[in-house]
Amino acid sequence: MESSSQHRQPRKRHSVLVFAAVMVVVAFVGFLVMVFRTDFRPDRETDDGRGRVTSVAGSEVTESPSATPTRKPSSASPTATARATTSTATASSASPRPSATSAPRAVSGAAPLAGRIKPDVTYDGVATFYDAADGNGACLFGPTDNVMTAAMNTTDYETSKACGAYVRVRAASGATITVRITNLCPGECAPGQLDLSAQAFAKLADPVAGRIPITWTLLSPDTSDTLSIRYKTGSSAYWCGIQVIGHRNPVARLEVRTGSGWSQLPRTEYNYFLSEQGSGCGGAIRITDIYGEQLTVDGIAVRPDVVQSTRVQFAQH
């Protein structure tokens, strides 16, 4: 009996050792599985501490911040990124496909390129009236069915910079009328004075008055119209005059693209921008309003005295 007991003892010890070894292996395998699932997932995301989540796999997504950020108003002044990056689409001359710059459109703020006439400023003056006939005038926009127009005094006309501007005129009685500047009032008109069409004056006062005190302010009107481009009569690839029509805000400058970049054209009193050497005639045109917004138009052929519509318009302010 004693020898039988001594023979079974080693077998029991051997079984315990085998069982312990198996448990160690199982525990180690389980550990490896947990590590693999936790740390080696290809889509695991890590936070770099700046609100951006980067995937271990290499793709990048943006994490929404816990609080809604306040959107800063865009500057009215053009900047290198907000204003100078232009995306131009080319099309036929009859139906150009212009595009605005990728600049964010400001809805308020100063007008850094404004001349004498600035937004949010009330001007004092007097209103007179004249026979506007078909509504054409020194700005050379051409005849119009809407004769709610006015001629600007020479000082505020500012070498045609006032052309196309919309102003709201208020009489002492409280009556108001919105007119578009299409003409120049000669030297007898003082600064601040508007020479209204007879139809516009009649909405403010009895024409018998002849002359009334007024205040007026620049507008950026609500409109669904887009602006147009017209080449002056006689324009060619060697000399051209370019005019902007139907713009919501006053135009501050016009540039044409040349081999060396953008070239700003001088403005005339009759509201055309001239390229006397033909530089850029028939090429891309960049138009800037008084708020600094730039619109670039391409595909406008040199077709003298033809109004060519575009698909762009300045932002409302």
Short mmCIF file of all heavy atoms in Angstrom, two decimals, residues 179-202:
data_model
loop_
_atom_site.label_atom_id
_atom_site.label_comp_id
_atom_site.label_asym_id
_atom_site.label_seq_id
_atom_site.Cartn_x
_atom_site.Cartn_y
_atom_site.Cartn_z
N VAL A 179 -33.63 107.50 -55.66
CA VAL A 179 -33.26 107.81 -57.05
C VAL A 179 -31.88 107.23 -57.36
O VAL A 179 -31.09 106.95 -56.46
CB VAL A 179 -33.23 109.34 -57.29
CG1 VAL A 179 -34.63 109.94 -57.14
CG2 VAL A 179 -32.25 110.04 -56.36
N ARG A 180 -31.63 107.05 -58.64
CA ARG A 180 -30.32 106.58 -59.10
C ARG A 180 -29.61 107.73 -59.80
O ARG A 180 -30.22 108.48 -60.58
CB ARG A 180 -30.48 105.40 -60.06
CG ARG A 180 -29.17 104.78 -60.51
CD ARG A 180 -29.40 103.46 -61.21
NE ARG A 180 -30.08 103.63 -62.48
CZ ARG A 180 -29.51 103.40 -63.68
NH1 ARG A 180 -28.27 102.98 -63.76
NH2 ARG A 180 -30.22 103.56 -64.77
N ILE A 181 -28.33 107.88 -59.52
CA ILE A 181 -27.55 108.97 -60.13
C ILE A 181 -27.18 108.58 -61.55
O ILE A 181 -26.46 107.60 -61.77
CB ILE A 181 -26.28 109.28 -59.31
CG1 ILE A 181 -26.63 109.58 -57.86
CG2 ILE A 181 -25.51 110.43 -59.95
CD1 ILE A 181 -27.59 110.73 -57.66
N THR A 182 -27.67 109.35 -62.51
CA THR A 182 -27.41 109.08 -63.92
C THR A 182 -26.83 110.28 -64.65
O THR A 182 -26.48 110.17 -65.83
CB THR A 182 -28.70 108.66 -64.64
OG1 THR A 182 -29.65 109.73 -64.58
CG2 THR A 182 -29.30 107.41 -64.01
N ASN A 183 -26.73 111.42 -63.96
CA ASN A 183 -26.35 112.64 -64.67
C ASN A 183 -25.50 113.54 -63.79
O ASN A 183 -25.37 113.32 -62.57
CB ASN A 183 -27.61 113.39 -65.11
CG ASN A 183 -27.39 114.20 -66.38
OD1 ASN A 183 -26.26 114.40 -66.80
ND2 ASN A 183 -28.47 114.68 -66.97
N LEU A 184 -24.92 114.54 -64.39
CA LEU A 184 -24.09 115.53 -63.72
C LEU A 184 -24.80 116.87 -63.75
O LEU A 184 -25.25 117.33 -64.80
CB LEU A 184 -22.73 115.63 -64.42
CG LEU A 184 -21.84 116.82 -64.03
CD1 LEU A 184 -21.40 116.72 -62.58
CD2 LEU A 184 -20.62 116.87 -64.97
N CYS A 185 -24.90 117.50 -62.59
CA CYS A 185 -25.44 118.86 -62.51
C CYS A 185 -24.28 119.83 -62.64
O CYS A 185 -23.31 119.73 -61.88
CB CYS A 185 -26.16 119.07 -61.18
SG CYS A 185 -26.94 120.70 -61.04
N PRO A 186 -24.33 120.74 -63.58
CA PRO A 186 -23.19 121.64 -63.84
C PRO A 186 -22.81 122.50 -62.63
O PRO A 186 -23.37 122.35 -61.54
CB PRO A 186 -23.69 122.51 -64.99
CG PRO A 186 -24.80 121.73 -65.60
CD PRO A 186 -25.43 120.97 -64.49
N GLY A 187 -21.87 123.38 -62.86
CA GLY A 187 -21.24 124.16 -61.79
C GLY A 187 -22.17 124.91 -60.88
O GLY A 187 -21.82 125.18 -59.72
N GLU A 188 -23.38 125.27 -61.35
CA GLU A 188 -24.27 126.06 -60.49
C GLU A 188 -24.83 125.25 -59.33
O GLU A 188 -25.41 125.81 -58.40
CB GLU A 188 -25.42 126.66 -61.30
CG GLU A 188 -26.37 125.66 -61.91
CD GLU A 188 -26.02 125.29 -63.34
OE1 GLU A 188 -24.86 125.50 -63.74
OE2 GLU A 188 -26.92 124.79 -64.04
N CYS A 189 -24.70 123.91 -59.38
CA CYS A 189 -25.16 123.08 -58.27
C CYS A 189 -24.09 123.02 -57.19
O CYS A 189 -22.94 122.65 -57.46
CB CYS A 189 -25.48 121.66 -58.76
SG CYS A 189 -27.07 121.53 -59.61
N ALA A 190 -24.47 123.34 -55.96
CA ALA A 190 -23.53 123.36 -54.84
C ALA A 190 -23.33 121.95 -54.29
O ALA A 190 -24.15 121.06 -54.52
CB ALA A 190 -24.06 124.28 -53.75
N PRO A 191 -22.25 121.73 -53.54
CA PRO A 191 -22.05 120.44 -52.89
C PRO A 191 -23.27 120.07 -52.04
O PRO A 191 -23.81 120.90 -51.31
CB PRO A 191 -20.81 120.66 -52.02
CG PRO A 191 -20.04 121.71 -52.75
CD PRO A 191 -21.09 122.63 -53.32
N GLY A 192 -23.70 118.82 -52.16
CA GLY A 192 -24.89 118.37 -51.44
C GLY A 192 -26.17 118.50 -52.23
O GLY A 192 -27.19 117.89 -51.89
N GLN A 193 -26.14 119.27 -53.31
CA GLN A 193 -27.36 119.50 -54.09
C GLN A 193 -27.62 118.35 -55.06
O GLN A 193 -26.70 117.81 -55.68
CB GLN A 193 -27.24 120.81 -54.88
CG GLN A 193 -28.51 121.15 -55.67
CD GLN A 193 -28.43 122.53 -56.31
OE1 GLN A 193 -27.53 123.33 -55.98
NE2 GLN A 193 -29.35 122.83 -57.21
N LEU A 194 -28.90 118.00 -55.20
CA LEU A 194 -29.35 117.03 -56.18
C LEU A 194 -30.33 117.70 -57.13
O LEU A 194 -31.28 118.37 -56.68
CB LEU A 194 -30.02 115.83 -55.51
CG LEU A 194 -29.16 114.95 -54.61
CD1 LEU A 194 -30.02 113.85 -53.98
CD2 LEU A 194 -28.03 114.32 -55.41
N ASP A 195 -30.11 117.53 -58.42
CA ASP A 195 -31.04 118.02 -59.43
C ASP A 195 -31.88 116.82 -59.87
O ASP A 195 -31.41 115.98 -60.65
CB ASP A 195 -30.27 118.63 -60.60
CG ASP A 195 -31.10 119.63 -61.39
OD1 ASP A 195 -32.10 120.13 -60.85
OD2 ASP A 195 -30.74 119.91 -62.55
N LEU A 196 -33.07 116.71 -59.34
CA LEU A 196 -33.91 115.53 -59.56
C LEU A 196 -34.64 115.61 -60.89
O LEU A 196 -34.85 116.69 -61.46
CB LEU A 196 -34.95 115.41 -58.44
CG LEU A 196 -34.42 115.37 -56.99
CD1 LEU A 196 -35.60 115.37 -56.02
CD2 LEU A 196 -33.54 114.18 -56.77
N SER A 197 -35.04 114.45 -61.37
CA SER A 197 -35.97 114.46 -62.50
C SER A 197 -37.27 115.10 -62.02
O SER A 197 -37.57 115.08 -60.82
CB SER A 197 -36.24 113.04 -62.99
OG SER A 197 -36.97 112.31 -62.01
N ALA A 198 -38.01 115.67 -62.94
CA ALA A 198 -39.26 116.34 -62.56
C ALA A 198 -40.20 115.36 -61.87
O ALA A 198 -40.91 115.71 -60.91
CB ALA A 198 -39.91 116.95 -63.79
N GLN A 199 -40.20 114.11 -62.33
CA GLN A 199 -41.09 113.10 -61.74
C GLN A 199 -40.69 112.79 -60.30
O GLN A 199 -41.55 112.61 -59.43
CB GLN A 199 -41.05 111.83 -62.58
CG GLN A 199 -41.62 111.97 -63.99
CD GLN A 199 -40.56 112.38 -65.00
OE1 GLN A 199 -39.59 113.08 -64.68
NE2 GLN A 199 -40.76 111.96 -66.25
N ALA A 200 -39.39 112.72 -60.03
CA ALA A 200 -38.92 112.43 -58.68
C ALA A 200 -39.21 113.61 -57.75
O ALA A 200 -39.64 113.41 -56.61
CB ALA A 200 -37.43 112.11 -58.70
N PHE A 201 -38.97 114.82 -58.22
CA PHE A 201 -39.21 116.01 -57.40
C PHE A 201 -40.69 116.09 -57.00
O PHE A 201 -41.02 116.43 -55.84
CB PHE A 201 -38.80 117.28 -58.15
CG PHE A 201 -38.85 118.52 -57.32
CD1 PHE A 201 -37.72 119.00 -56.68
CD2 PHE A 201 -40.04 119.24 -57.17
CE1 PHE A 201 -37.76 120.16 -55.91
CE2 PHE A 201 -40.09 120.40 -56.41
CZ PHE A 201 -38.94 120.85 -55.78
N ALA A 202 -41.59 115.76 -57.92
CA ALA A 202 -43.03 115.85 -57.66
C ALA A 202 -43.47 114.91 -56.55
O ALA A 202 -44.52 115.12 -55.95
CB ALA A 202 -43.80 115.56 -58.94
#
